[in-house]
């Protein structure tokens, strides 16, 4: 069970790093899209990026101390639920052109919860 938890944790940590770094630095297309008119303010985008980076670090630390990994996985799931809400408010799920990208947070939320559960079962 620990191997499965480790694979999920590392996968989520990579995603958290890849998603969080551009937001924390406010560089690239994603932060620009989030800050579009009617979108999020720059400090909130940076905060989300830092939360994703913290989740990535916590998931990796959780490989050595499961409680921090469980907390990081659940925290990352909470951030992803917020992303689902943002996409829903933006109408991304109703638009066939944006639906594919909007599904990523939903899928990753399931993976984050699975990582938390497997870390609990592995401890």
């Amino acid at each position: 069970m620990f191997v499965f938890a480790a694979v999920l944790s590392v996968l989520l940590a990579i995603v958290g790093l890849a998603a969080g770094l551009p937001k924390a630095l406010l560089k690239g297309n994603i932060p620009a899209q989030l800050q579009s008119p009617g979108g999020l303010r720059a400090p909130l985008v940076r905060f989300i990026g830092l939360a994703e980076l913290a989740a990535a670090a916590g998931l990796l630390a959780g490989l050595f101390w499961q409680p921090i990994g469980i907390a990081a996985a659940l925290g990352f799931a909470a951030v992803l639920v917020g992303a689902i809400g943002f996409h829903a408010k933006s109408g991304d799920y109703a638009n066939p052109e944006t639906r594919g990208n909007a599904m990523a947070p939903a899928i990753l939320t399931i993976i984050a919860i699975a990582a938390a559960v497997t870390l609990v079962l592995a401890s």
Side-chain angles (χ1 to χ4, degrees):
M1 187 60 72
F2 178 76
V3 172
F4 189 57
V7 169
L8 291 176
S9 294
V10 170
L11 173 69
L12 285 173
I14 292 169
V15 169
L17 180 63
L21 195 56
K23 291 176 195 152
L25 298 174
L26 297 176
K27 303 279 185 194
N29 293 336
I30 300 298
Q33 289 173 355
L34 291 172
Q35 296 176 72
S36 65
L40 305 175
R41 296 182 183 265
L44 181 56
V45 174
R46 180 168 279 139
F47 177 77
I48 292 167
L50 292 173
E52 291 172 340
L53 292 174
L59 285 161
L60 294 177
L63 297 175
F64 304 99
W65 190 46
Q66 279 85 6
I68 194 75
I70 295 164
L74 293 175
F76 196 34
V79 170
L80 291 165
V81 167
I84 292 168
F86 179 81
H87 284 292
K89 180 182 172 191
S90 299
D92 291 339
Y93 294 110
N95 184 346
E97 294 177 11
T98 58
R99 186 177 303 136
N101 288 339
M103 289 305 296
I107 295 165
L108 289 170
T109 300
I110 294 167
I111 295 171
I113 293 169
V117 169
T118 56
L119 283 167
V120 167
L121 295 175
S123 59

